Amino acid sequence: ADTAQARADRAASERLRQLENSDRWLLATAHAELSPTLAMQHFDCALGIRSASHAMVLTQALLARILHDANEAAEIAKARDPRPRPIAVDPSRPACQRFSEASRASPSYPSGSASVGAAYGEVLAVIDPAHAGSVREIGHQIALSRAICGMHYPADVEAGQSLGRAVGQAIVATPEFQADKAEVAREIATARASGLTHPGCAAERQALAVVLP
């Protein structure tokens, strides 16, 4: 807590408060929703699809497994050395999502949501390699949103992303994933072939163009 690295991390978190109520803050609000149905929509623009308009049963089942594994990995890590969240250190700090007092008091390091976002991006990149860079970037942006929200410090997010990428790589190596990979890719390809795209892509591009302080 008293190292130069920790002080720099807290200072970086404070600078992110400049984004409160900005377009990037609003996107971070959306990114707080990580359930499979809603989380898939975060990747619509990167994939060129409109997932809500299609039955993507296997894709959502895969995301549910990723959510469970990435979040569980983060919870194991959090138990080792609990770090207070920014919104716990400064109770007056606003967050871009609703949270309970139990959530406020829960450990910040590493970010479980960053782990989930990075794992989603890692696995979807393997399923659709033509869009790998774009989907990994969205996974990264979901992670950054946690620091913008004041729910985690930047170092928590960085650690969560590293953990999430490792979880994603472990998932794609499993026989279960290999058995489902082609069918999940087919669901995404079918959604793309319909020509429907997410109506919020222009707003997303505008929000992601905001330079972080």
Side-chain angles (χ1 to χ4, degrees):
D2 295 325
T3 63
Q5 182 182 16
R7 290 192 293 272
D9 194 35
R10 291 194 297 269
S13 180
E14 281 298 311
R15 288 195 297 274
L16 290 173
R17 296 188 67 166
Q18 298 174 38
L19 297 175
E20 290 172 11
N21 301 315
S22 68
D23 288 341
R24 188 60 184 84
W25 173 270
L26 294 176
L27 181 61
T29 302
H31 282 167
E33 297 289 350
L34 289 176
S35 63
T37 303
L38 296 174
M40 189 61 198
Q41 296 180 50
H42 300 326
F43 294 92
D44 279 2
C45 301
L47 292 167
I49 65 174
R50 188 173 182 178
S51 57
S53 297
H54 301 274
M56 305 186 72
V57 177
L58 287 176
T59 304
Q60 290 181 14
L62 173 61
L63 263 58
R65 295 202 300 271
I66 297 168
L67 173 65
H68 174 272
D69 290 355
N71 194 58
E72 284 296 302
E75 289 301 314
I76 292 169
K78 284 182 179 186
R80 296 176 181 174
D81 186 17
R83 182 189 192 187
R85 295 177 183 271
I87 57 169
V89 173
D90 179 3
S92 68
R93 183 168 181 170
C96 63
Q97 67 175 79
R98 292 183 179 180
F99 59 87
S100 65
E101 287 307 307
S103 295
R104 187 199 295 275
S106 62
S108 190
Y109 180 94
S111 167
S113 295
S115 178
V116 171
Y120 280 158
E122 191 66 28
V123 175
L124 289 172
V126 172
I127 292 169
D128 194 338
H131 296 82
S134 298
V135 296
R136 283 194 175 106
E137 176 61 20
I138 293 302
H140 172 61
Q141 293 295 334
I142 290 171
L144 288 181
S145 288
R146 307 307 294 156
I148 291 167
C149 275
M151 297 298 292
H152 298 277
Y153 290 100
D156 309 337
V157 166
E158 184 178 351
Q161 287 188 90
S162 295
L163 181 58
R165 285 191 291 267
V167 169
Q169 290 161 10
I171 288 172
V172 302
T174 63
E176 292 84 359
F177 173 82
Q178 295 301 324
D180 291 342
K181 177 183 175 183
E183 287 302 319
V184 173
R186 190 171 293 114
E187 285 185 347
I188 293 173
T190 298
R192 185 178 297 121
S194 74
L196 294 175
T197 56
H198 197 290
C201 291
E204 179 183 271
R205 287 193 298 271
Q206 181 175 331
L208 293 178
V210 173
V211 177
L212 302 189

